[in-house]
Amino acid sequence: MATPGTVDGGQDGLEPPRRIAGILHAVYCAGVTAALGERYQKIPKENGQSFWGRPPEDMKLTFYGKDVTAAVAESWNQHARDFVEGEGAYEWVRRERPEAVLVWNDEYPRFRGAVLAARELGIPSIEVCHGSMYLPQHGHWYGRKYADWHLGSRNYYAWHQIMMGHGRAVVTGSVEQDVYFRAEPDRTRRTARFELKMPDHVPAVCVLTDTPFERSSWQDSGLVYGTVMRCLQAVRLAQQIVPGLQLILKIHPYEKDESGVRIGPDQYESILKSLGFREDYTIIDQPLVLALGASDLVLGAPSSAMASGLALGIPTLLVPL
């Protein structure tokens, strides 16, 4: 029996929501959409007012006390596209008035637009957390959260309590992260090393690449890729000190260039060769557990993938953005 106020419906004869609109990840939220059946409707990508072109000459933007005018102006088209998508989701929810809004992340513009509209309409907004927890910088804006309900792992619940995030966090487990918490670290390491043909005694560092999501500071692609480059340069320097040190480079699954084309191993291989890497590296696109399982250290920007590594007992060095 569900308790009053939950999104599954209430007591006293209250019916569950008959029409739930949302934006869900096709892979790890497939079970959610299947369970909801005809009650679920995907929020389409609708364009709001367009702001393509050059930014206003008198534009002045500050964010948490920092002047971000130059950074926004430099990547104006990206910001404009995000704003248009966020505005479109906001207007769609306001117009269609579903009984609940369900998203797999409540931070990026399109998701936040839908959640904001839900809050204004007084209808429940729910986030299905995709990772075991987030690893933000203390006080970072994306640690605030926006949805009314956050469904996730026990680790996410603890993080939410510490950060005093908005809304109520509920422990539900995480389909995507379950493989890590059920794994035996020693066995995972042996299996991953066997698959990569990497001797057990060889030290290995996993560098996580990133993508200029709206979570990254000011959406600055130069800052994101600059951070990745610094990590790679650090590993290359360490290879001259630690005999046999191996690099495992894990590519972010949503890493794309400005035209939307997926960035793959070929692009990164040319970068590694330019930095002096030869036969001492492995580039992994998928799966994440293969990259983490074979590593002795995880290095990169804040990511839920790091929490996955910590669940396997792998030390992590967080590079703040």
Side-chain angles (χ1 to χ4, degrees), residues 90-150:
Y90 171 85
E91 295 293 348
W92 187 93
V93 173
R94 293 276 300 182
R95 182 176 64 251
E96 300 296 329
R97 305 179 76 88
E99 295 181 44
V101 167
L102 184 63
V103 296
W104 66 269
N105 187 297
D106 71 346
E107 299 162 5
Y108 311 149
R110 188 175 172 221
F111 307 95
R112 203 187 313 174
V115 169
L116 176 61
R119 291 176 63 178
E120 291 183 356
L121 292 173
I123 62 178
S125 57
I126 309 101
E127 176 193 32
V128 181
C129 305
H130 73 291
S132 64
M133 62 180 176
Y134 294 108
L135 291 173
Q137 296 167 235
H138 181 69
H140 196 287
W141 64 269
Y142 72 75
R144 295 174 59 189
K145 308 306 293 177
Y146 299 91
D148 297 325
W149 297 78
H150 307 278

Side-chain angles (χ1 to χ4, degrees), residues 70-87:
V72 172
E74 185 177 355
S75 53
W76 178 252
N77 284 350
Q78 175 65 47
H79 290 286
R81 179 165 59 249
D82 290 330
F83 180 84
V84 166
E85 290 186 359
E87 184 188 42

Side-chain angles (χ1 to χ4, degrees), residues 266-279:
D266 291 344
Q267 291 93 325
Y268 271 110
E269 185 158 22
S270 63
I271 292 174
L272 293 180
K273 288 182 178 179
S274 70
L275 293 175
F277 289 91
R278 295 295 179 258
E279 302 297 329

Side-chain angles (χ1 to χ4, degrees), residues 202-315:
V202 173
V205 175
C206 176
V207 171
L208 302 171
T209 74
D210 206 344
T211 185
F213 278 140
E214 291 74 10
R215 72 176 180 200
S216 59
S217 301
W218 331 120
Q219 285 187 276
D220 191 334
S221 59
L223 180 60
V224 170
Y225 289 116
T227 301
V228 174
M229 289 296 291
R230 289 199 301 271
C231 291
L232 294 176
Q233 290 168 347
V235 175
R236 181 68 189 116
L237 178 62
Q239 286 182 336
Q240 301 175 44
I241 303 172
V242 181
L245 179 63
Q246 296 288 309
L247 166 69
I248 299 176
L249 182 65
K250 173 63 180 71
I251 302 177
H252 193 285
Y254 288 99
E255 196 167 347
K256 301 177 182 178
D257 61 21
E258 293 182 353
S259 61
V261 177
R262 176 83 161 82
I263 295 177
D266 291 344
Q267 291 93 325
Y268 271 110
E269 185 158 22
S270 63
I271 292 174
L272 293 180
K273 288 182 178 179
S274 70
L275 293 175
F277 289 91
R278 295 295 179 258
E279 302 297 329
D280 45 10
Y281 66 87
T282 302
I283 302 175
I284 297 178
D285 201 351
Q286 293 289 355
L288 174 63
V289 68
L290 183 62
L292 295 178
S295 301
D296 298 296
L297 176 71
V298 179
L299 177 64
S303 169
S304 60
M306 291 183 167
S308 303
L310 292 173
L312 292 173
I314 303 171

